């Protein structure tokens, strides 16, 4: 059974995660890094690394991993989404430089 604190964490991570696919699509279509912050993306990515590490280092969580794997799954999924946005940031930065050179 999911405890209230776990449910609240799931709601938080799913809420954050729901916005990343839209953000990645916007970055892909925009083809520009204007309006994006590399520092912000790196800070969010670092936060997800810390969240993943905290789960992996939590003995109580790891003891119940078979029934609570989904929490870590969403952390990893969000980490991948932010990583994708980071890759697009650098692609778009390069496209901005090419456009500025023309």
């Amino acid at each position: 059974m999911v405890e209230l604190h776990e449910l609240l964490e799931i709601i938080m991570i799913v809420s954050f995660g729901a916005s990343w696919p839209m953000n990645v699509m916007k970055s892909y279509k925009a083809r520009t890094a204007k309006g994006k912050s590399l520092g912000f993306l790196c800070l969010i990515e670092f936060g997800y690394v810390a969240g993943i590490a905290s789960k992996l280092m939590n003995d109580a969580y790891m003891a119940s991993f078979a029934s609570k794997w989904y929490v870590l799954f969403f952390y990893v999924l969000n980490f991948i989404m932010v990583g994708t946005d980071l890759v697009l940031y650098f692609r778009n930065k390069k496209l901005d430089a090419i456009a500025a050179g023309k």
Side-chain angles (χ1 to χ4, degrees):
M1 181 167 176
V2 176
E3 295 183 36
L4 180 58
H5 71 93
E6 294 170 326
L7 179 62
L8 293 172
E9 181 180 23
I10 291 166
I11 290 169
M12 181 269 308
I13 201 77
V14 170
S15 297
F16 288 173
S19 65
W20 284 114
M22 292 181 279
N23 199 46
V24 166
M25 190 55 67
K26 183 179 175 185
S27 293
Y28 179 76
K29 289 179 179 179
R31 300 180 64 82
T32 181
K34 293 176 181 156
K36 287 292 219 181
S37 169
L38 179 60
F40 175 77
L41 290 172
C42 289
L43 188 59
I44 296 296
E45 193 78 328
F46 177 74
Y48 283 126
V49 167
I52 291 166
S54 79
K55 290 295 179 197
L56 295 176
M57 296 170 66
N58 183 324
D59 291 335
Y61 174 77
M62 292 308 291
S64 62
F65 184 76
S67 63
K68 297 183 180 180
W69 59 269
Y70 50 87
V71 177
L72 188 60
F73 170 80
F74 284 109
Y75 274 97
V76 172
L77 182 62
N78 289 349
F79 175 81
I80 291 168
M81 286 287 135
V82 177
T84 302
D85 207 26
L86 273 166
V87 168
L88 289 171
Y89 172 86
F90 288 109
R91 179 203 75 164
N92 291 345
K93 196 83 168 155
K94 187 175 181 179
L95 291 174
D96 287 343
I98 291 168
K102 289 184 179 180

